[in-house]
Amino acid sequence: QWLRNNDGFFSEKVEIRHLDPADTKSPRGMFAKESFKEDETIMIIPSKCLLTTEEPRGTCKTAKALADHFRQGDKSFFKEYVDYVFDGTKRKNLPDRWSDEALEIMHAI
């Protein structure tokens, strides 16, 4: 809903779930619930909705930006996403492909 509230689009034909819905430890991903037509829009993510920084490559910039938004609390534009990532019952919401350094930054919060 947050994406839609910020001029983005997320097709109702897509769901975010575990690879194996019966196994909450299986990787999460995006899956089509039904077929798409050729050239059908699946997602539109406005640049204002991208969590980025101006730091150079190799510094875990996404992890640092996420940590900064966590510290901002209710003032953060990304509050809904940050709350989702840091929900204690869903600690596995962190991306599977993050570096060990990035994961250490997140787990330190």
Side-chain angles (χ1 to χ4, degrees):
Q1 187 60 44
W2 174 81
L3 183 62
R4 291 182 181 109
N5 290 343
N6 286 286
D7 304 319
F9 173 79
F10 190 85
S11 172
E12 297 291 335
K13 294 181 179 181
V14 175
E15 65 181 345
I16 298 174
R17 64 169 173 79
H18 290 279
L19 179 61
D20 177 355
D23 179 6
T24 59
K25 294 183 185 215
S26 68
R28 293 176 58 85
M30 292 176 34
F31 299 89
K33 295 189 284 186
E34 55 187 274
S35 297
F36 292 99
K37 297 176 185 169
E38 186 173 339
D39 295 327
E40 183 175 354
T41 300
I42 299 171
M43 202 183 301
I44 297 172
I45 303 175
S47 58
K48 70 180 182 180
C49 294
L50 299 175
L51 184 60
T52 61
T53 70
E54 298 300 319
E55 292 185 37
R57 294 177 148 248
T59 59
C60 294
K61 61 185 179 179
T62 302
K64 289 178 180 179
L66 184 57
D68 180 53
H69 283 279
F70 175 82
R71 288 185 206 96
Q72 291 178 34
D74 291 343
K75 296 177 184 175
S76 172
F77 174 75
F78 296 99
K79 181 188 178 340
E80 290 184 44
Y81 175 69
V82 171
D83 287 349
Y84 170 79
V85 171
F86 289 101
D87 179 338
T89 64
K90 300 175 186 150
R91 195 64 167 162
K92 296 291 183 184
N93 289 339
L94 294 172
D96 292 334
R97 304 280 186 241
W98 277 19
S99 68
D100 290 339
E101 181 183 359
L103 290 172
E104 285 177 28
I105 291 169
M106 293 299 97
H107 290 294
I109 294 179

